[in-house]
Amino acid sequence: MKKIFNIMLALLLVFIPITSNAKGVGQAIIGPPTTTVEKMKDWARSKGAHEEFIRQAQTFYDVSVRYGIDPAVTYAQSAKETNYFKFTGVLTIDYKNPCGMKTSSGGGDYDKTAHQKFSTWEEGITAQVHHLALYAGHKDFPKADSPDPRHFPFIYNTVSCVEELGGKWAPSKTYGSEIVNMMRA
């Protein structure tokens, strides 16, 4: 009986998400770091990331922590959106756009002019972090001075965890779960 209980408990723990948040169960967006800069860099190297993606790990970490967002979320999302800064989609590295963010007017996914161009990596990463914080309902958002061109108050507090970004940040319903799987790697 004890052995069966231990097996069931072990199986249950395998299926519990990495963390939970105040609103529900899932991978929290808002919260303390669940990784370190060195782990981020090692993970990026293991995935064959562009050297600039590895160099920007510290910026992802610092900006995320400054605004109360787990840097593991931001870094994994950027890896997904940019193919580890290889930019194999419509954008190029000179956009300094770490997450495929569109302009305030938006447009088609394959339209370069529909995507925001940032002047520095810190500005682009800050826009990404602000957008995540807004979605997750961070208490210090929305901000009047955000570099996020899509800092629309109506998206405030519309997700409770990374998994819920699917269908909101991106059309794919599995988008958030894919980011969580990348974080677990």
Side-chain angles (χ1 to χ4, degrees):
M1 183 72 159
K2 186 176 179 183
K3 187 175 184 177
I4 292 172
F5 174 79
N6 288 339
I7 291 170
M8 289 177 63
L9 182 60
L11 286 173
L12 181 63
L13 290 174
V14 167
F15 293 104
I16 292 177
I18 297 171
T19 62
S20 63
N21 57 48
K23 297 180 199 171
V25 176
Q27 175 60 52
I29 295 170
I30 299 170
T34 60
T35 191
T36 65
V37 174
E38 280 313 308
K39 286 181 183 176
M40 290 163 62
K41 288 179 177 183
D42 289 345
W43 173 73
R45 283 185 195 101
S46 78
K47 300 298 182 184
H50 189 284
E51 191 57 40
E52 188 64 31
F53 187 70
I54 297 165
R55 273 194 296 275
Q56 292 302 324
Q58 186 71 57
T59 308
F60 276 99
Y61 190 92
D62 293 345
V63 172
S64 297
V65 170
R66 183 180 318 137
Y67 293 104
I69 302 300
D70 180 357
V73 175
T74 313
Y75 204 56
Q77 181 187 38
S78 181
K80 176 169 182 46
E81 288 281 351
T82 67
N83 192 18
Y84 305 89
F85 276 20
K86 294 176 193 168
F87 290 94
T88 51
V90 67
L91 298 185
T92 54
I93 200 163
D94 65 305
Y95 272 68
K96 294 181 178 65
N97 186 331
C99 61
M101 186 170 286
K102 293 191 176 171
T103 63
S104 60
S105 57
D109 288 344
Y110 301 102
D111 178 3
K112 275 188 162 199
T113 64
H115 293 83
Q116 186 68 31
K117 197 169 193 176
F118 296 100
S119 59
T120 66
W121 282 113
E122 184 166 2
E123 181 185 39
I125 293 166
T126 300
Q128 176 189 5
V129 168
H130 282 192
H131 206 65
L132 283 167
L134 191 63
Y135 263 119
H138 190 286
K139 65 180 178 55
D140 295 334
F141 286 80
K143 290 197 171 295
D145 61 345
S146 178
D148 170 9
R150 300 183 67 79
H151 205 70
F152 306 134
F154 66 82
I155 66 172
Y156 180 79
N157 203 26
T158 57
V159 303
S160 62
C161 59
V162 176
E163 292 85 347
E164 291 180 3
L165 290 171
K168 295 191 186 257
W169 186 294
S172 167
K173 296 291 183 191
T174 61
Y175 176 81
S177 298
E178 292 168 20
I179 292 169
V180 170
N181 289 337
M182 292 173 81
M183 293 170 66
R184 290 181 176 158

